[in-house]
Amino acid sequence: MLGIEKQHEWLKIQEIVEAFLYRKGVSRTQWQDLFYYVHNISCWTDHGGEDLRFRLHEELKKYVKACEKNIANSDEGRLLEAYIAEWINFSIVYTYLPMPFQSTENNTSQAGRPDVKTRSIVRAREPAIRKAALSLVENERNGEAIDGQLITGVQESYVALFEEDENPLDTYESFFEMNYIDQSANFYSQRAATVMSENGVQSYMNYAEARLSDEKQRCQRYLHYQTVPKLMKRLVEVLVVRFQEQLYAEFRTLIVNNHLDKMKQLFRLINQTDNGVSVLLDIIHDHIKSDGIKDMKESAKTIVTDAEKYVEKLRLRGRPSIPDDPRQGLPRSSE
């Protein structure tokens, strides 16, 4: 229990703490005074540090309740803005407010750290917050301009929403990452089939490659870096693996028609799957074998009567023609 004099100092502490919590502004002098008052009570009052920690905890509980109320009362159109504003301030509180109270504890590893459950700040509207963030992502996929900082802010808050005994990414992975990946896969599942059926394989290859690139960049902008390989693996399953048979069949046609650029594009897509490249190599092997046998059958008479001529034909196949006159095609000198 604080004496009358120390109670007066606590009221000064409380005034500064409330100004800090509720964004009323704290001057440099007030911030320095806060250190002084906390140190004075901790050092010169029996159980003063314990009493201050209890009082700070009560102030923080009231503050978190106010945050919850502000978020809960926000309409759908302003929900993310309200949440991000509260979260940014909460992060500042969690980072800086403990500093003056570090002298109240012997253990400096978590000295003065606000003892509040950080998840409670989003508890009232968590599903709606997540849904609103994912809706923004879908709007961007559909070509709308959005405020990407709102998505980034939600992601960062989920990463920070973990209890002391948890993996720091557990909450983020369970509540946000998993839903983001599922939504992304669902978004492209039906669209991919439509593009393939309406536009054919080669146009679909353009679509799949562009969408995979877009989604990788979007994930790098908005989500935790560890999400990128998980998302890409899932989207490759949706955009490439599902259509492997059509792609393999098209690869055979591209070989026959010698469409090298499209062959390279198809290889880039298949190369992102687990075993697709080996199938492409088998297709190439079969083509070489089949084409060689066909050519030998067509050239059977030449092979029997003049094998050297056939070997020379193979050697020259594919060699670019060379003009008889090496100077052909060069600019004429002016006379």
Side-chain angles (χ1 to χ4, degrees):
M1 184 70 180
L2 299 179
I4 295 177
E5 181 181 351
K6 299 307 179 187
Q7 179 65 27
H8 179 68
E9 289 188 348
W10 161 250
L11 292 177
K12 293 180 179 179
I13 292 174
Q14 185 180 38
E15 180 182 358
I16 298 171
V17 167
E18 288 181 349
F20 191 96
L21 291 175
Y22 301 105
R23 290 167 273 190
K24 297 177 182 178
V26 175
S27 68
R28 182 186 297 271
T29 300
Q30 287 177 306
W31 185 243
Q32 292 172 345
D33 288 344
L34 183 58
F35 281 83
Y36 170 77
Y37 295 137
V38 169
H39 178 76
N40 200 22
I41 292 177
S42 299
C43 293
W44 300 103
T45 305
D46 290 339
H47 308 293
E50 181 180 347
D51 189 83
L52 282 179
R53 290 195 300 275
F54 173 79
R55 291 171 184 246
L56 175 63
H57 181 69
E58 293 301 306
E59 292 297 324
L60 286 168
K61 286 200 298 185
K62 289 190 293 184
Y63 162 69
V64 170
K65 288 290 184 183
C67 290
E68 291 177 354
K69 183 177 180 180
N70 290 340
I71 296 171
N73 291 339
S74 300
D75 58 47
E76 293 297 327
R78 299 288 299 172
L79 176 59
L80 283 186
E81 288 87 343
Y83 170 68
I84 295 302
E86 296 296 341
W87 175 256
I88 290 174
N89 193 61
F90 181 85
S91 300
I92 294 172
V93 167
Y94 195 82
T95 301
Y96 293 103
L97 190 57
M99 292 179 179
F101 293 87
Q102 288 179 352
S103 62
T104 67
E105 297 191 33
N106 293 325
N107 179 10
T108 58
S109 62
Q110 292 292 326
R113 185 66 60 190
D115 183 20
V116 293
K117 298 296 185 182
T118 55
R119 282 191 187 137
S120 63
I121 198 170
V122 296
R123 181 171 50 200
R125 301 292 297 276
E126 191 281 323
I129 291 169
R130 173 171 21 99
K131 181 180 178 181
L134 294 179
S135 294
L136 279 184
V137 175
E138 185 159 337
N139 291 343
E140 186 179 66
R141 289 189 179 119
N142 289 324
E144 298 181 28
I146 66 167
D147 183 357
Q149 291 299 317
L150 295 176
I151 304 171
T152 303
V154 172
Q155 175 265 125
E156 290 175 348
S157 70
Y158 274 100
V159 171
L161 290 173
F162 69 96
E163 308 298 347
E164 293 298 333
D165 59 343
E166 291 181 340
N167 180 318
L169 293 181
D170 279 352
T171 301
Y172 163 75
E173 291 173 343
S174 300
F175 288 90
F176 194 72
E177 179 189 75
M178 182 174 64
N179 286 278
Y180 184 98
I181 293 175
D182 287 344
Q183 185 225 42
S184 301
N186 292 335
F187 181 87
Y188 287 110
S189 182
Q190 181 60 43
R191 288 169 175 78
T194 301
V195 172
M196 175 66 82
S197 63
E198 293 182 355
N199 300 283
V201 178
Q202 293 192 29
S203 293
Y204 178 79
M205 288 160 53
N206 296 334
Y207 171 82
E209 190 169 49
R211 297 293 79 76
L212 288 171
S213 177
D214 289 346
E215 290 303 325
K216 183 175 183 179
Q217 294 176 41
R218 181 174 291 112
C219 189
Q220 290 171 335
R221 285 198 305 272
Y222 299 144
L223 272 70
H224 192 274
Y225 72 93
Q226 291 189 18
T227 302
V228 176
K230 301 176 189 177
L231 174 68
M232 298 313 296
K233 179 177 176 62
R234 182 74 174 277
L235 290 182
V236 165
E237 292 174 357
V238 172
L239 292 169
V240 182
V241 174
R242 287 174 61 206
F243 303 101
Q244 276 183 316
E245 294 306 317
Q246 293 99 311
L247 293 171
Y248 293 151
E250 188 68 19
F251 191 63
R252 294 182 177 91
T253 302
L254 295 175
I255 293 175
V256 171
N257 295 323
N258 200 30
H259 288 174
L260 295 180
D261 289 341
K262 282 295 180 181
M263 289 169 63
K264 291 177 182 178
Q265 183 183 37
L266 194 150
F267 178 86
R268 289 195 298 269
L269 289 171
I270 293 296
N271 192 39
Q272 299 178 67
T273 67
D274 291 335
N275 302 307
V277 171
S278 62
V279 177
L280 295 185
L281 294 177
D282 289 341
I283 293 173
I284 294 173
H285 176 270
D286 291 343
H287 173 77
I288 293 173
K289 182 178 178 181
S290 174
D291 193 54
I293 292 174
K294 178 182 177 182
D295 185 76
M296 289 179 69
K297 288 180 178 179
E298 293 175 351
S299 305
K301 184 176 180 180
T302 303
I303 294 173
V304 172
T305 59
D306 192 348
E308 290 185 3
K309 182 178 180 180
Y310 178 71
V311 171
E312 182 67 10
K313 172 187 173 183
L314 294 178
R315 189 177 69 83
L316 295 176
R317 177 177 292 177
R319 176 186 290 185
S321 60
I322 301 175
D324 293 335
D325 184 351
R327 295 169 297 176
Q328 184 177 335
L330 296 177
R332 295 177 180 270
S333 59
S334 58
E335 297 181 357

